[in-house]
Amino acid sequence: MQIRFACLLILLTSAAQAQADGLYPAAAIPEAMRRNAYAVIRLHETTFTVKSAGEAVKKVHYVVTILNERGKGQAKMNVFYDKLHRVENVQGALYDEFGRQTSRLKKPDIHDVGLEDAGTFVGDNRAKMAEFACTQYPYTVEFAYEVTTYNLIFYPVWQPQIDDEVSVEKASFAVLMPAGMDLRYKELNVPAKAVVTTIASGKQYTWGVSNLHTFQWEKHSPSDHGQIPVVYTAPTDVEVQGYKGDMRTWAGIGKFYHVLNDNRDLLPENVKQKVRQLVAGETDIAGKTKRIYEYLQANTRYVGIQLGIGGWQTFTAAEVADKGYGDCKALSNYTMAMLKVVGIDSYCALVKAGEDEPDVMADFPNSYFNHETLCVPTPKDTIWLECTSQTNAFGYQGSFTGNRHALLITPTGGKLVETTRYKASDNVRNRRISVAMDETGNAKATVTSLYTGEQQEDLEQIMHQLNMEDQKKALYKRINIPSFEINQFSLAQKKDRIPSVTETLALTVRQCASKSGTRLFVVPNLINATPPLPPKAENRKTEFMLYSSYQTADTVVYQLPKGYGVEFLPDDVRMESKFGTYAASVRASEGQISYTRHLTVNKGRYPASAYNEWVDFSKKIAKADKSQIVLVNKGL
């Protein structure tokens, strides 16, 4: 009893001392770690223990000090799960400025919420959510939880620094693999390589970082973690609900998804008859494919289906035919099934979709993908079908799935291929403007603009997603004129393989020219406002990206006010660089002035050493775009 009492006394004394001193006092954070930070990660530990090809446990424990209001989002915990993931042992605590615990997370504080979006999403995705509300800065939060997963298609991605304004005192990542199973991994920007040790159960791979300061995110940096330490991990063998796969190669990954979805493209006879009738009289593969695609668009709608293994295994084609809806997998599979009926081969393809999303790492096979589309190889070219869209032009991928790699799912395995690469000549904006000015500098303008490819995507969404009133509001935001009114507008779409939208505007432009005495000063580049110019960087560290290739051409014809003539015209400008080309010129004739401007921008990933060259190119364009014409009233 005396020994037990002595031990208890020691524990109570230690706890009291820790409470008095504080576990995580904010004052203990070095000033260098606070600089430009809204939060400091004091400690972040992740352990991923693989028990077999079909089960693993991830344990996470982290402590974050919130320095100001901008960091309050870091006081939240969100743990996502579904039928293939089980969340346990959720814990949390709140500490004051001195590191003294002021409250603990209780069971009623942990909210279990569904993540379904009524009408467009059906799934079992849920989240455990908790948050500490505190307005006395700085304060510290601590969270811990465990997730048991029965879906090892995806191994963790470790990114210890979540933002350029969050510093990290200490973070670690460990992966424990059982005997006979290897870990595949790829390290980017890590200060130290993995430490691999032999343990009783197999092997342990460990990474660690410390004292990561905030940094200045460099403008136009690539979105694939160009400045942040990242470790990608990936499986060799997986098993999900009885389906097994070898994930070492792209061929193996594709084979796994093929087995998962094999024999799910069968259609009932009445649907087959309908499909044959659809293509009657059509002999060309592209023509047949287009008819079937347009039938799909008119008779189905997108609904996300994420139920258990359904996140990766499709509805059957017969179910989609019956219900009239499906997710990207189901609609692509259904279209593939209809094409199969008329003898056209096609393949579902996994892709990482989204504008400006980084491409997959071709040298590191892994499950990067978030979307499925359909590929139709033909003797002439390859047709890609976006089966989730009811408005997409036939064969057009655009910025959503174009300009990247996709993984074809074939019976013999996966094949990494390129999707459509859109050139500058595909992404065009041609504009012609007629301007009638009066002697006060006000004007009436008629604007006709043709947008193609990626240049028309915003307008295409405006056309199909907004009513007329909201379309007009959206157009006001797109037009870069200081003071104007839209008197009339129209939008017309043409659904070619490279789709286009024609925009027609009738505008009233106030102060189209600045009046000073007998002179009018006109900037002939009426609508193209110069975007914010990037600053120069003397010691840039990362590459930079120009995400889209495109061309623009403008012709602006000014009808001069009565009695006015030209006093000054700017010189012609022509520039060429690796980033693109620019040309502008002004010509005067009796009673009018014509301004032409051409710009081509080349998409690319450029070295850090070329960044200032691009800044100079941009500044020269901005200067040329602001050139002025001087008109004078010759009748006075």
Side-chain angles (χ1 to χ4, degrees):
M1 288 293 293
Q2 288 178 336
I3 293 173
R4 289 180 180 177
F5 179 76
C7 290
L8 180 60
L9 183 61
I10 291 170
L11 288 172
L12 290 173
T13 303
S14 299
Q17 185 64 40
Q19 186 72 0
D21 295 342
L23 287 174
Y24 306 107
I29 302 173
E31 179 58 33
M33 300 295 287
R34 291 169 170 265
R35 192 172 298 123
N36 301 321
Y38 62 73
V40 179
I41 297 174
R42 314 294 294 277
L43 178 68
H44 200 297
E45 300 169 313
T46 302
T47 302
F48 188 66
T49 303
V50 178
K51 296 185 175 182
S52 67
E55 182 181 356
V57 177
K58 183 169 76 170
K59 295 182 179 181
V60 179
H61 170 230
Y62 63 97
V63 181
V64 184
T65 295
I66 315 301
L67 299 179
N68 54 53
E69 187 176 2
R70 291 188 59 243
K72 64 182 181 181
Q74 301 304 315
K76 301 177 182 180
M77 180 203 69
N78 298 316
V79 186
F80 302 100
Y81 72 99
D82 54 31
K83 288 183 178 179
L84 297 177
H85 296 79
R86 185 177 72 248
V87 181
E88 298 176 300
N89 299 326
V90 178
Q91 301 176 51
L94 174 66
Y95 301 87
D96 66 14
E97 176 182 0
F98 305 102
R100 297 175 303 212
Q101 187 182 118
T102 59
S103 66
R104 290 195 65 82
L105 203 62
K106 299 179 179 62
K107 192 171 182 179
D109 301 326
I110 304 169
H111 305 287
D112 194 313
V113 298
L115 302 178
E116 295 185 19
D117 179 11
T120 60
F121 191 86
V122 177
D124 54 17
N125 293 303
R126 302 189 66 83
K128 302 278 189 182
M129 297 183 175
E131 179 179 2
F132 286 109
C134 186
T135 58
Q136 297 296 316
Y137 300 99
Y139 63 90
T140 299
V141 297
E142 180 178 25
F143 290 109
Y145 58 86
E146 296 180 18
V147 179
T148 299
T149 176
Y150 302 98
N151 172 19
L152 270 69
I153 297 174
F154 302 95
Y155 273 31
V157 177
W158 184 59
Q159 182 180 316
Q161 194 163 21
I162 58 175
D163 192 277
D164 59 339
E165 294 181 85
V166 175
S167 57
V168 181
E169 284 194 320
K170 186 177 182 181
S172 65
F173 176 48
V175 180
L176 283 67
M177 300 296 296
M181 286 186 65
D182 294 323
L183 175 70
R184 296 188 300 113
Y185 60 89
K186 186 176 182 67
E187 301 162 325
L188 298 176
N189 311 312
V190 294
K193 303 298 183 182
V195 175
V196 184
T197 55
T198 301
I199 56 177
S201 59
K203 286 185 179 180
Q204 177 170 317
Y205 302 77
T206 305
W207 292 265
V209 295
S210 59
N211 299 322
L212 297 180
H213 293 189
T214 61
F215 60 93
Q216 184 68 45
W217 189 268
E218 294 183 321
K219 299 289 185 181
H220 297 276
S221 292
S223 54
D224 53 358
H225 311 294
Q227 292 177 253
I228 295 177
V230 184
V231 175
Y232 291 88
T233 62
T236 51
D237 303 292
V238 298
E239 181 176 350
V240 183
Q241 294 191 343
Y243 292 91
K244 298 181 179 180
D246 182 339
M247 312 296 275
R248 293 172 178 83
T249 64
W250 292 118
I253 294 173
K255 183 68 173 179
F256 172 75
Y257 281 99
H258 174 75
V259 171
L260 198 62
N261 293 284
D262 197 19
N263 294 319
R264 303 182 76 82
D265 60 350
L266 306 178
L267 290 169
E269 190 57 38
N270 66 315
V271 178
K272 291 181 180 180
Q273 286 289 86
K274 176 66 177 177
V275 172
R276 294 187 186 105
Q277 292 171 7
L278 278 174
V279 302
E282 199 48 88
T283 57
D284 181 69
I285 291 177
K288 291 181 180 180
T289 303
K290 184 177 182 181
R291 287 193 186 184
I292 289 173
Y293 180 67
E294 290 176 346
Y295 172 81
L296 170 86
Q297 289 182 305
N299 292 277
T300 63
R301 62 188 177 91
Y302 171 80
V303 176
I305 311 294
Q306 303 290 330
L307 293 167
I309 202 170
W312 300 273
Q313 187 178 67
T314 180
F315 268 16
T316 65
E319 288 176 298
V320 177
D322 178 56
K323 298 178 184 298
Y325 66 79
D327 63 5
C328 60
K329 302 180 300 299
L331 295 173
S332 297
N333 179 66
Y334 176 51
T335 309
M336 179 176 69
M338 290 192 289
L339 290 169
K340 184 178 179 181
V341 170
V342 295
I344 298 175
D345 291 330
S346 61
Y347 303 97
C348 291
L350 299 172
V351 65
K352 189 172 184 180
E355 187 177 359
D356 297 343
E357 280 285 350
D359 201 357
V360 303
M361 291 181 285
D363 62 343
F364 188 66
N366 200 5
S367 294
Y368 303 99
F369 312 106
N370 60 5
H371 186 60
E372 190 166 296
T373 186
L374 190 67
C375 177
V376 186
T378 76
K380 294 181 180 179
D381 64 357
T382 299
I383 301 169
W384 291 90
L385 301 179
E386 179 48 62
C387 299
T388 63
S389 174
Q390 294 174 302
T391 61
N392 218 61
F394 169 71
Y396 180 67
Q397 291 188 280
S399 62
F400 187 55
T401 58
N403 305 307
R404 67 200 73 194
H405 287 88
L407 184 65
L408 292 189
I409 302 171
T410 78
T412 58
K415 183 179 180 182
L416 198 66
V417 299
E418 289 190 352
T419 61
T420 307
R421 298 284 172 174
Y422 292 97
K423 307 179 296 297
S425 57
D426 297 321
N427 307 318
V428 173
R429 192 219 65 225
N430 286 332
R431 177 180 287 146
R432 185 171 183 86
I433 307 175
S434 178
V435 183
M437 284 195 303
D438 63 27
E439 62 277 3
T440 67
N442 296 327
K444 298 286 187 180
T446 301
V447 184
T448 302
S449 304
L450 175 68
Y451 298 82
T452 72
E454 294 173 5
Q455 292 281 310
Q456 59 84 50
E457 290 179 358
D458 288 346
L459 282 172
E460 191 264 348
Q461 290 185 20
I462 289 171
M463 283 184 63
H464 294 294
Q465 297 179 11
L466 302 179
N467 59 36
M468 292 294 288
E469 182 180 350
D470 289 335
Q471 286 182 22
K472 190 173 185 178
K473 291 178 181 177
L475 292 178
Y476 266 105
K477 294 178 181 179
R478 288 172 52 89
I479 299 170
N480 297 307
I481 299 176
S483 181
F484 71 99
E485 292 177 1
I486 299 176
N487 302 320
Q488 291 181 318
F489 76 92
S490 66
L491 298 171
Q493 185 182 27
K494 190 174 181 182
K495 291 187 176 183
D496 293 329
R497 286 287 290 274
I498 302 295
S500 64
V501 172
T502 299
E503 172 195 67
T504 304
L505 304 167
L507 308 177
T508 296
V509 183
R510 291 180 290 278
Q511 293 184 322
C512 181
S514 299
K515 186 175 177 63
S516 178
T518 61
R519 289 177 173 79
L520 290 174
F521 297 85
V522 183
V523 176
N525 179 31
L526 182 63
I527 291 181
N528 292 308
T530 303
L533 291 172
K536 283 199 170 186
E538 296 305 321
N539 297 300
R540 186 179 176 95
K541 298 178 181 178
T542 59
E543 299 171 303
F544 68 98
M545 291 287 295
L546 300 180
Y547 281 98
S548 179
S549 296
Y550 61 89
Q551 293 178 353
T552 62
D554 296 83
T555 299
V556 188
V557 178
Y558 290 86
Q559 301 298 325
L560 304 186
K562 187 176 181 180
Y564 277 79
V566 176
E567 183 177 69
F568 173 79
L569 294 179
D571 294 332
D572 292 354
V573 178
R574 293 186 182 278
M575 293 184 285
E576 291 189 14
S577 80
K578 67 185 73 172
F579 313 110
T581 61
Y582 175 90
S585 63
V586 185
R587 297 290 181 266
S589 59
E590 190 64 33
Q592 71 176 29
I593 296 172
S594 295
Y595 166 78
T596 58
R597 177 186 184 273
H598 296 270
L599 173 65
T600 299
V601 173
N602 299 325
K603 173 183 177 177
R605 188 167 185 143
Y606 297 95
S609 58
Y611 180 77
N612 286 341
E613 183 182 345
W614 177 66
V615 172
D616 288 337
F617 180 64
S618 301
K619 287 182 176 179
K620 289 176 182 177
I621 292 174
K623 182 179 179 181
D625 280 349
K626 293 177 182 177
S627 296
Q628 286 189 330
I629 299 168
V630 182
L631 306 177
V632 63
N633 190 334
K634 296 183 177 180
L636 297 179

